[in-house]
Every structure is written in C-alpha cells, then in structure tokens.
Amino acid sequence: MIDLSVHQLALNFGGVRAVDGVTFSLHEGEIHGLIGPNGAGKTTTFNCVTGFYRPTGGTIRFREREITHLRPDQIARLGIARTFQNVQLFRSMSALDNILVAKHSQMRTGILAEALALRLVRRQERMARGEAEELMEFLGLMGIQRQTAGNLPLGSQKRLELGRALALEPKLLLLDEPASGLNTSETQVLAQLLLKIRDRFKLTVLLVEHDMGLMMNISDTITVLNFGRKIAEGTPRDVQNDPEVVKAYLGENSGAERR
Amino acid sequence: MKRLLSSAGALAGLIGLLVVLNGGAPTWAEDGVTDKEVIIGAGMDLTGAVANWGVNIKAGMEAVFDRVNDAGGVHGRKIKLIAYDHVYQPPKAVTNAKRLVERDKVFVMMGHLGTPTTKAIKEYLEEKQVPNIFPATLASMWTTSGKWHVGDLASYADQTWLIIDYLVNERKIKKIASFYQDDEYGLDGHLAGKARLKQYELAYVAEVDYKRADIDFSSQAAKLKESGAEAVIVQAVYREPPRLAEQCHAIGYYPQFIGPGPIVVNKTIELGGKHVEGLIGVEVYPLPTDPGPFLDLYRADMKKYFPGLPPDTTNLYGYQKAALFVEALQRTGRNLTRDSLLKSIESIKDWDPGWGLKYSYGGDNRRGMSRVGRLVMVKNGKWTKMSQWIELKEGGRR
Amino acid sequence: MVEILTSQVVSGLATGCVYALIALGFVLIFKATDVVNFAQGEFVMASGFISYTLLIRFELPYWLVFLATIALSGIMGVALERVVVRPIMTAPIFSIVIATIGASIVMRSSAGILYGYDVLPLPTIFSKDPIHWGVLNFTLMDAGVIGSSLVIMVVLYLFFKLTKTGTAMRATAQSQTAARLMGVSVGRIFSLTWAISAGIGGVAGVLIAPIIYLDPNLGFIGVKAFAGAILGGFGSIPGAIVGGMLLGILENLSGYFFNAGIKQVSTYILLILVLVVRPGGLFGAAPIRRV
Ligand SMILES: Nc1ncnc2c1ncn2[C@@H]1O[C@H](COP(=O)(O)OP(=O)(O)OP(=O)(O)O)[C@@H](O)[C@H]1O
Ligand SMILES: [Mg+2]
C-alpha cells in the first residue's frame, strides 16, 4: 500500500528551482532514503511534505488524501512527524515537556475543560505523562527528564527530537540527517534504533542522510535528487551503481562522502 | 497677446466674483471681525487632566453666545467661538494659539484655559497684539501683565490670603502645610500663602509638590503626616484633593484640607465621596444654585443649549466670562477693533449682571470683579456656604 | 517613621503589582509573537470603562462584573489580534508595532467619544480605610490589589506549567516551527495569547481604576508598566513581575525621600542604571553581540 505519494512536486525560490518536478512514493512500512549532494532539494522536499512551504506545482497525497495545501499543524495531526537538519527543540523547556507538547496533540480536550480542570482532563494529563516517560526510557533518555533541553549534549538532543516526533504517534516519520554530528559507533546505534522504531511503532520512514554506509544498510528504497530533479531510484545496490548518481557525486569535488 | 488679454479678463472676473461672494462687504481692519461675525478663539483642555473644567467652560461660554446669536447677535454680528484642545499641555497650547491667530485669524483669545498653558502663549499673543480676554486662570499675573491681558475674578493669591487669614485667625491653626501643583498655577497661591504666613511670623510646616496629571500621592501624604500639619492648603484642581485626602486617611491622618476656587467643583465630591466631607474651598463667584436673575438666566440657558450638562461651578465660570464679554461688545458698538474693545472693557464700572456682585475695571485694575470671595465647605456631599462675601486683600503680587 | 516607610512600601507594592500585571501582558504577547503591543495600556483603560458600565449602568454584582470584564477584555484582545495584527503579521515588526499604536489611539478616542474625558469614580469592594498590623500600615484596597495580583500570577504559572494549552503556548514562544510540527495551531495560540494578555490587562483595569480614577487617558499607565518590563528584562516573565513591583515601590520611596520631580523621573533613572550594569535587564539574558 502506498503511504505517501509525491507527484511532479516543484518549488522555486526566485530564480532557483529548488525542487523541479520530483515524483516518488513511499510504501507502507519501508525505510525510504532520499539522497543527493548539498543543495539538491532534500530539505525543501521535506518542507513541502510537512506544509512549511507551499509548492508552486505538483501534488502530495498521504494515504489517498491530498495534503498539498494543508497547514503544518493539520498535517502533523494527520500523522506525519519530522525532525530537522538543525535540531529544533523547545530549548528552554525541560526534556519531558518537549515530549509532552507532542503527546498533547493526542489529547482531545478543549481549553474550557482545562480551565475547569475536569477529572477527564486530569486523567488524560496523567496518562500523557506516563507515556512520555515510557517513551524516554525506550530511547535511553531516562534521568534527563527534568533537564533543560537546550543544555543537553547534541546526541541527546537529536534523540530527544526523535522522541518528540514519535510522541505524535505518527504513521510517517521524516528524518532530516539524524546522524550528522554523530561518530561512527553512535551512528551504528542509531541505525539499530531506527530499525527498532520502525518495527515497534509500525511506521514508514523517509530518511535524508549523507552517511552512505548508514543509508545503504537500512534503506529499502533510495531516491536520488540532484539540482532539484530526481536522477535515480531503486534498491541501494541499483542506485550505488547508477552512472548518473556516480557522476552527480563526483561532480561535487568532495566525492561521495560528504565534504 | 490675445491670450494674455483673455486670461487677464478671466482673472478680473474671478476677483469680481470673489468680492460678490464675500457680500461685497467693506473689509474690516481687524482680524476675525466681519460685517456679520466676530470670531474668537480659545485653547481648552477637552481630553486631558482638567477636561472637566475645559468641557464645561466652553459649554458655559457657548450657552451665552448661542442665546445672543439666536437673538441676532451683538450689533448685528454673531459670535463664533473656535476652541482647540491643548490637553493642559503648554507646548500644545502654543501650537493651538498659532493656529487660531494665524490660520483662523481670531479677533481675540477668550477664556483660554489653564495657568501654565496660558502663560506659555503670553508672549506670543503680545507679539501678535492679540488681546487675551478673561483667561480661565486666576493667577495673579493676569492682573498685572499690561495692556493685552484682562482678567476677570480675584486671583489664587488673593484667595490664598483669605485661606491663611481664616486658618490663623478663626481656626487658630498654626501648623499649616502646602500641597501644590508644580507649575505657575500651584506656585501662585503657594508663594502668596508663604508671604502671608510670614506676616503672621509663621511658615509652612511642610511644602510638598506634585506634577500635573500625577495620580498617586502616597508619598506626599506621608510627608504631610510627618510634618504634623493640622491644615493642608491644596493648590490643586479637582482630581488631586480627593485622592490626597483618601491617601492621607489611609495612613490615619485627618487634617483640614482647604484650597482655592478650582477645587470647588461637583466632580471633587463625586470622586472623593466621604473622603472630601469637610473640605473647604474659596468661591469668588456665586454657586450655580444661588438665587438671582442672572443665575436664573444661566440655568435656563444651560438647560436649553446643553441639557446634558448639569449646572456646575465650572460652566458657570465660563458663562460669566461670556456674559462679561458680550457686555463689552455691546459697549463697543459697530466699530469693533481690538483697541476699541479693550477701551470699552476699561469703561466697565460696578456692572452687576444680576447676581449681586459687581465687575469694575479702570486704572491698573484689570481684575474686574471687586476682590471678593467667600468660603464654602463640603457638607453631606454638597458645596455649602460658610461665610458671606468678603472683600479680599490683595494677595502678594508676583 | 518605620510605620510610614512600611506604608509607603505596601502602597507602592500595590501599584507595582498592577504594573506587573500590565507588564506581563506585554511580555506574553512579545514572547509568543515578537510583537510589542502598545495598546496594552488601553486594555486596562477599556476594562475600567467596561466594569464602570456593568456596575453603574447595569448594576450587576461586583464579582460578576469582575469576571465579565476579564472575559470581555479577553475578547477585545482576540479582536485586536484578528483584525489589526494578523492581517499584517508578515509585515516588518516595526509596521505591526505602529499598527498597535494606531489601535491604542483609536481605543482611547472611542472611550472619549463614548464616555467623555471627565474622570469617573469606579466603586470597589475593597475599603480604603486604614488597617494597622504591627509595623504594617495599609488599606484593604492595597491588600486586595496585591492579593488579587498574586493569585492571578500563580494561576498563570500553574496554567503554563501544568496544562496542555499552557505547554503549547510555551512551546510556541520557543519555536513556532517545531510547535506547528507538534500539531499546535499557532494561529489559535496567538489569539489565545492576546486573549490572556488582554484579560490580565482587564484585571489590572478593575484593580487600578478605583484607585486612580477612570478616564480615557488611563491607558498611559502602560508606559510605566513597559518600563517595568524592560527593567526586568523584556521577554522574561519573572522579570516583568519583579520589574513592575520594583518600579511601584521605587516611585513611592523616591517621592517620599525627594520630590514630585524626582519621583517622575525615578523610573527612568533606575532603568538607565540597571541597563548600564545589566544590558539585558534584571532577569534577561544579556544580548549576545555577534562580531
Ligand atoms: N528558504 C529558501 N530561500 C531561498 N532558497 C532556498 C531556501 N531553502 C532552500 N533554498 C535553496 O534551494 C536549494 C535546495 O536546498 P535544500 O535545503 O532543499 O537542499 P538539501 O538537499 O537539503 O541540501 P543539504 O544537503 O545541504 O541540506 C538550494 O539551492 C538552496 O539554496
Ligand atoms: Mg538539507
């Protein structure tokens, strides 16, 4: 079953065609890699899918529903969560509160009920807290619940951001360079964690990452972008051997690995 | 050439048309005076800290002008008052005065409100030779400032002398403090009081000031209490005495509050409630509820032209100014110039509009009304007479 | 002497609490939307008139008037956000700030047209009679103002700390992007922020109007509160509270030890002194200058 389908997506920034007619789709339960040199349009694609940018052309469908022109909060509530290339935590809130903000989107209580502190509200709030703690434990973040998010080391921040996305109980998870800034062993832990997450939460993952080792290891399918266009798609092995892809990466004088 | 001629012709035609539209009237030498109209200007506080005074003075003046105009005006001229809001701020008063004199070309300034605000335009009016008639300020300076300024009632200085005499002689109070607005208004009475106390070989036991539009007087209250003053003279307007009294009472301090004319307003009572019971003020003209044909006329005019504004010392103050001004216009006749108007004001002697008190000018007496005043007190939520009219001593001229 | 000093401090604290409430309104809106709302003082003024109308014209009981005024003021806040601010939210901040100044002028003149510029006395349930309590010397009015303000502050604190909406508001203030991603409708949060700020302004109005009388220029009290917010560190909630309270006390003491002139400028002298020593204000982070 198709989870997300992006059709002829296009977005221009002034003269720059950041995304230029890109089409791809995600199957339910797969880890789908999105790769390409710097400036290829990966983050821009993410921003279109999550509603932060308005595409100038094309359509985006999520489980048969068109979401091209929905607001980010509406898309989030439909079950699409993401992390950012540069971590976007609520920096001066506690780690637990970061997760709680997401957990709350699952609660369906109005402000009036809250103002009256109804029993229902209090019970839901207690449940949300319980679940948030559980999630933090799963991610190995116990012991830092009360700490201020902005003061955590980068690795923990990235994991916290991942946890916050998971707390939304999404069906589709978009991860923008989750391994950047991590060392080799940390990256390996992350790879295992991602697979565990996919299986435990039963979700589809769209992953942007420059670490080719990681991508080849865990992706089911890979889509390659260059200058806003799709230049290849297939299994990791197919893509690795695609002459267009090799050219695109060699054209960047830094080679296949980033910088 | 032909073209030039025809445009010259068109120009002449246009000028002719303008003259006809103007009624072909002979042009009067003086600004603001035409065959059918005399335009006068005023700066008022309509939206600021003493707006209650401004709104009511303007209404009181207009009540007189409306009645006179409905009856055909004075010597065929209707009186038109242009008033701008200076918000009780001197810089705005200057801007407004320039607009009135230079753009609206008013004949005179009439009933201009406020001591600091009128002082701010004093030199400008002198330079432009625009008379400052009956400004709505009783600072002593208007009685001594020469040709262009004409006051109407006894000054704050005169009134403060009455206050001191009353406190010292009748109440036997020696510990007297002064609470005054830190500007030309407050200082007028404050300094006069100081001079009078000196003659009794006394001095204020405390002198505390406040700024226009201040709203909190708790520190002033504390200082007054510490001084042990038995009486506090409030050189203030209507907002401050209730608030000061309230804040003095809040710290368990109950002196006799007493002040000049501007506090004798119903608003003071409305704001202060029980805290202003026993407050004493000086009146330099009758209360709006007093008997007399002039006051009957006043009450009828207010009811007719400003049914929304109940009779109050504030609008009566404007009303008597306008009545005095109309009297001066009557005396001047058809040939109305700034000089002839000032001359006819000088000619007013013992003129009583019908309330038992007389206006007199002449010599260097620019004060108008004989220097009279009386004390009134808040009793059961009403301003009530305490004494008969008495001749006021001339409070130290500054 | 001690009694007089304590009474000065207590009555200064009462005024300071009202400054603090208004300052809170400034800071909440600023944190959530980056807008400095110069109509904040006008919420205070307008709620003064609202409660006057409900009390005098409709003769409703005081507690009902209190609640209704807060609610109506909140609605006014939402209206201002929806009608004036939201349509130009993409414009430079400067234009938005100017728009709020425009709104404040409109509100002031409307009050003037509806009620006139005369000062009106607003009744209160708190007595202004003195109470002695050891060296403390105060009125029920002072105690009522301080008490109500503190209650409002605690309620706000619990709301932000413990409720779903409060957490979402804090999150939005930190990162709109991430908050959106958490399914937070940022538009709703903005409206809510304005409602709460205006509602707090409403409380301030009901509390202060009986003390300093009611007139269309009452909103200028916002200028002092703004100074209080800067003193505390603009953007800091504890800063707004402490800054506002400090100002109230300072004003009273400077009036007591010096004169009305010094009292008038004391606010600004303190402000300059604090900003020289701590450019970010008492509680604010010092601005980082990038080289
Ligand atoms: N907000 C923006 N305004 C203008 N140009 C933009 C904007 N965002 C992205 N671009 C441009 O669009 C192109 C694609 O950028 P994008 O961030 O999507 O690349 P990317 O594939 O994520 O690269 P990287 O690997 O460096 O993160 C780049 O040329 C970039 O400069
Ligand atoms: Mg990117």
Side-chain angles (χ1 to χ4, degrees):
Chain A
M1 198 179 122
I2 305 281
D3 234 8
L4 180 79
S5 89
V6 172
H7 183 71
Q8 288 295 323
L9 185 69
L11 179 59
N12 303 339
F13 290 114
V16 181
R17 290 185 175 168
V19 178
D20 191 7
V22 169
T23 300
F24 63 91
S25 44
L26 268 62
H27 293 272
E28 199 179 324
E30 75 167 335
I31 295 184
H32 190 119
L34 190 61
I35 63 169
N38 290 124
K42 305 178 296 288
T43 300
T44 305
T45 304
F46 265 36
N47 282 335
C48 289
V49 172
T50 48
F52 284 97
Y53 290 162
R54 277 255 138 123
T56 39
T59 50
I60 304 164
R61 298 180 149 270
F62 177 60
R63 304 203 158 176
E64 302 307 313
R65 178 172 176 177
E66 169 146 15
I67 59 164
T68 323
H69 294 296
L70 293 187
R71 291 196 314 264
D73 54 297
Q74 293 170 324
I75 292 173
R77 284 195 291 257
L78 286 178
I80 300 183
R82 72 175 281 190
T83 64
F84 290 86
Q85 189 166 343
N86 26 32
V87 184
Q88 293 264 5
L89 287 170
F90 305 118
R91 296 183 57 83
S92 53
M93 286 164 70
S94 72
L96 180 66
D97 276 350
N98 267 271
I99 306 253
L100 269 177
V101 175
K103 267 279 151 235
H104 283 149
S105 75
Q106 253 62 50
M107 282 167 60
R108 284 283 160 265
T109 50
I111 179 153
L112 200 67
E114 278 192 72
L116 301 173
L118 296 182
R119 167 117 41 93
L120 172 83
V121 177
R122 275 177 293 158
R123 202 176 54 225
Q124 286 202 22
E125 183 69 32
R126 248 199 325 274
M127 258 174 61
R129 274 169 201 268
E131 286 172 17
E133 306 242 355
E134 208 176 295
L135 186 61
M136 292 185 79
E137 206 175 311
F138 170 73
L139 290 169
L141 288 173
M142 54 284 210
I144 61 158
Q145 284 99 322
R146 303 252 154 263
Q147 287 186 32
T148 305
N151 296 343
L152 296 172
L154 183 67
S156 305
Q157 290 197 16
K158 295 206 98 153
R159 231 164 329 141
L160 181 60
E161 197 190 21
L162 182 61
R164 193 181 61 182
L166 287 173
L168 286 172
E169 296 178 17
K171 298 174 188 111
L172 171 63
L173 183 60
L174 278 60
L175 305 175
D176 200 349
E177 304 199 18
S180 75
L182 303 188
N183 62 32
T184 327
S185 66
E186 283 172 334
T187 305
Q188 263 160 19
V189 173
L190 178 72
Q192 293 314 306
L193 184 64
L194 288 181
L195 291 170
K196 228 164 77 186
I197 285 173
R198 190 244 328 245
D199 297 338
R200 174 173 166 151
F201 297 97
K202 310 252 176 308
L203 35 79
T204 313
V205 178
L206 180 60
L207 178 64
V208 167
E209 190 45 72
H210 282 286
D211 186 321
M212 282 307 157
L214 174 76
M215 285 311 252
M216 296 304 154
N217 248 334
I218 67 169
S219 305
D220 299 306
T221 318
I222 289 181
T223 299
V224 189
L225 299 184
N226 194 19
F227 292 118
R229 288 171 181 277
K230 181 165 95 173
I231 57 169
E233 190 168 67
T235 62
R237 183 178 311 258
D238 294 345
V239 165
Q240 225 165 358
N241 299 327
D242 190 306
E244 277 279 336
V245 177
V246 174
K247 207 174 89 196
Y249 274 92
L250 289 179
E252 230 191 10
N253 38 24
S254 51
E257 289 292 316
R258 188 187 199 182
R259 268 166 245 259
Chain B
M1 186 64 200
K2 213 171 176 186
R3 235 227 201 102
L4 193 70
L5 272 179
S6 63
S7 16
L11 194 66
L14 198 65
I15 292 170
L17 192 67
L18 282 176
V19 170
V20 173
L21 284 178
N22 238 351
T27 39
W28 292 90
E30 218 60 78
D31 274 352
V33 180
T34 66
D35 203 24
K36 297 227 160 61
E37 204 175 46
V38 50
I39 301 171
I40 59 179
M44 286 291 157
D45 178 3
L46 300 174
T47 62
V50 298
N52 184 42
W53 273 104
V55 170
N56 278 289
I57 290 173
K58 178 164 174 275
M61 295 205 291
E62 281 174 343
V64 173
F65 298 148
D66 286 352
R67 168 172 46 79
V68 168
N69 290 344
D70 285 353
V74 186
H75 298 299
R77 290 193 188 94
K78 302 216 164 160
I79 305 164
K80 185 177 162 199
L81 173 70
I82 304 177
Y84 294 132
D85 183 13
H86 61 43
V87 206
Y88 203 34
Q89 289 171 11
K92 284 217 174 94
V94 174
T95 319
N96 287 353
K98 289 187 173 159
R99 222 163 103 194
L100 286 166
V101 170
E102 286 162 38
R103 198 190 67 185
D104 302 325
K105 305 228 176 287
V106 297
F107 174 52
V108 294
M109 200 62 88
M110 163 73 200
H112 193 278
L113 174 67
T115 310
T117 37
T118 311
K119 170 137 193 282
I121 65 168
K122 178 171 175 279
E123 276 170 21
Y124 173 75
L125 293 180
E126 285 162 4
E127 180 196 316
K128 293 284 171 182
Q129 308 205 328
V130 176
N132 175 23
I133 308 291
F134 315 142
T137 148
L138 298 179
S140 38
M141 71 171 73
W142 309 117
T143 67
T144 54
S145 294
K147 177 175 176 181
W148 301 105
H149 309 279
V150 191
D152 55 349
L153 300 170
S155 73
Y156 306 129
D158 300 351
Q159 298 174 40
T160 307
W161 277 39
L162 172 65
I163 290 172
I164 301 266
D165 290 353
Y166 163 76
L167 290 174
V168 174
N169 298 330
E170 286 179 41
R171 298 282 294 271
K172 311 286 179 217
I173 292 176
K174 300 236 158 73
K175 287 183 156 183
I176 299 170
S178 174
F179 168 84
Y180 63 100
Q181 183 163 301
D182 179 25
D183 64 13
E184 292 82 0
Y185 162 53
L187 283 170
D188 198 51
H190 171 74
L191 294 177
K194 199 172 207 166
R196 188 59 173 165
L197 279 173
K198 206 166 182 182
Q199 294 179 359
Y200 286 108
E201 296 182 340
L202 291 171
Y204 290 129
V205 294
E207 303 174 31
V208 296
D209 60 346
Y210 72 91
K211 295 277 179 192
R212 285 192 297 277
D214 267 3
I215 42 185
D216 183 276
F217 308 118
S218 56
S219 43
Q220 284 91 339
K223 281 190 196 170
L224 290 170
K225 183 184 184 187
E226 281 193 331
S227 78
E230 293 161 52
V232 176
I233 305 178
V234 286
Q235 306 285 353
V237 198
Y238 55 84
R239 258 179 204 253
E240 300 83 10
R243 180 88 177 110
L244 177 69
E246 198 180 288
Q247 294 190 298
C248 284
H249 296 171
I251 52 173
Y253 174 49
Y254 299 85
Q256 172 67 57
F257 293 104
I258 182 166
I263 70 166
V264 185
V265 180
N266 289 334
K267 199 87 212 173
T268 312
I269 303 172
E270 191 192 328
L271 294 176
K274 66 172 184 183
H275 295 282
V276 295
E277 271 297 309
L279 171 67
I280 299 176
V282 179
E283 270 282 314
V284 287
Y285 53 93
L287 287 169
T289 46
D290 280 354
F294 179 63
L295 288 158
D296 287 339
L297 184 62
Y298 151 76
R299 285 184 286 261
D301 282 346
M302 284 308 291
K303 200 166 177 184
K304 179 166 177 200
Y305 296 104
F306 294 92
L309 288 176
D312 186 71
T313 42
T314 48
N315 46 48
L316 178 56
Y317 184 49
Y319 190 90
Q320 60 88 27
K321 282 179 192 303
L324 189 55
F325 182 68
V326 168
E327 172 66 18
L329 286 182
Q330 291 283 12
R331 289 176 184 230
T332 315
R334 239 349 242 172
N335 178 19
L336 182 61
T337 64
R338 284 166 177 162
D339 273 327
S340 66
L341 177 78
L342 288 172
K343 276 215 182 68
S344 52
I345 293 177
E346 296 278 315
S347 79
I348 294 175
K349 292 265 166 357
D350 290 334
W351 180 69
D352 178 358
W355 62 359
L357 300 182
K358 300 183 180 110
Y359 298 87
S360 282
Y361 288 88
D364 71 342
N365 181 12
R366 280 279 159 92
R367 196 181 324 251
M369 180 175 283
S370 337
R371 295 191 300 269
V372 298
R374 67 178 175 191
L375 297 173
V376 287
M377 182 191 264
V378 180
K379 270 193 194 140
N380 302 319
K382 271 208 177 71
W383 286 109
T384 317
K385 274 171 270 187
M386 281 175 71
S387 67
Q388 293 308 307
W389 294 109
I390 35 179
E391 192 78 14
L392 295 188
K393 294 186 188 70
E394 174 132 8
R397 287 190 170 179
R398 290 209 286 134
Chain C
M1 175 70 191
V2 178
E3 284 198 0
I4 288 205
L5 264 186
T6 54
S7 81
Q8 289 294 293
V9 171
V10 173
S11 77
L13 185 61
T15 322
C17 277
V18 174
Y19 291 159
L21 287 179
I22 307 169
L24 258 182
F26 274 113
V27 168
L28 287 180
I29 289 182
F30 176 73
K31 276 178 82 92
T33 67
D34 289 337
V35 172
V36 179
N37 168 33
F38 278 105
Q40 195 62 31
E42 270 56 42
F43 291 141
V44 179
M45 178 272 295
S47 12
F49 279 106
I50 291 173
S51 53
Y52 179 84
T53 310
L54 296 180
L55 272 175
I56 308 288
R57 306 248 164 99
F58 294 96
E59 299 181 356
L60 298 179
Y62 192 87
W63 64 270
L64 186 63
V65 170
F66 193 84
L67 295 181
T69 302
I70 297 172
L72 288 173
S73 182
I75 291 172
M76 205 158 47
V78 176
L80 191 63
E81 196 264 338
R82 287 282 162 96
V83 177
V84 177
V85 178
R86 187 166 302 183
I88 56 168
M89 205 58 201
T90 48
I93 287 293
F94 183 70
S95 321
I96 305 176
V97 169
I98 295 293
T100 67
I101 293 177
S104 77
I105 295 171
V106 170
M107 287 170 78
R108 204 177 317 139
S109 328
S110 312
I113 291 164
L114 284 174
Y115 294 91
Y117 285 90
D118 243 2
V119 274
L120 298 169
L122 184 66
T124 166
I125 44 166
F126 303 118
S127 142
K128 294 175 183 172
D129 294 332
I131 292 175
H132 301 273
W133 208 34
V135 289
L136 282 184
N137 217 330
F138 58 95
T139 63
L140 265 187
M141 183 82 225
D142 292 335
V145 169
I146 296 171
S148 318
S149 307
L150 293 181
V151 166
I152 295 287
M153 289 169 195
V154 169
V155 166
L156 269 182
Y157 175 81
L158 294 178
F159 169 76
F160 282 122
K161 205 73 199 169
L162 297 181
T163 70
K164 166 186 154 188
T165 311
T167 315
M169 289 178 77
R170 276 191 295 147
T172 307
Q174 305 228 330
S175 165
Q176 286 178 25
T177 312
R180 282 209 168 87
L181 211 67
M182 300 303 114
V184 172
S185 161
V186 169
R188 242 190 83 219
I189 294 290
F190 280 7
S191 296
L192 198 59
T193 307
W194 280 76
I196 291 177
S197 294
I200 307 174
V203 177
V206 180
L207 292 179
I208 195 86
I211 302 187
I212 62 176
Y213 310 134
L214 182 56
D215 75 285
N217 296 319
L218 180 60
F220 284 118
I221 192 175
V223 177
K224 288 266 179 62
F226 185 61
I230 294 178
L231 181 66
F234 207 78
S236 156
I237 288 180
I241 293 172
V242 173
M245 289 179 175
L246 267 184
L247 269 199
I249 296 172
L250 171 88
E251 268 189 347
N252 258 18
L253 291 183
S254 63
Y256 175 71
F257 286 112
F258 305 102
N259 59 24
I262 302 280
K263 176 178 175 175
Q264 198 175 39
V265 296
S266 62
T267 306
Y268 307 102
I269 293 177
L270 178 71
L271 194 61
I272 290 166
L273 286 180
V274 168
L275 293 186
V276 164
V277 181
R278 283 186 62 95
L282 293 176
F283 286 73
I288 298 159
R289 208 165 278 141
R290 280 192 198 129
V291 194

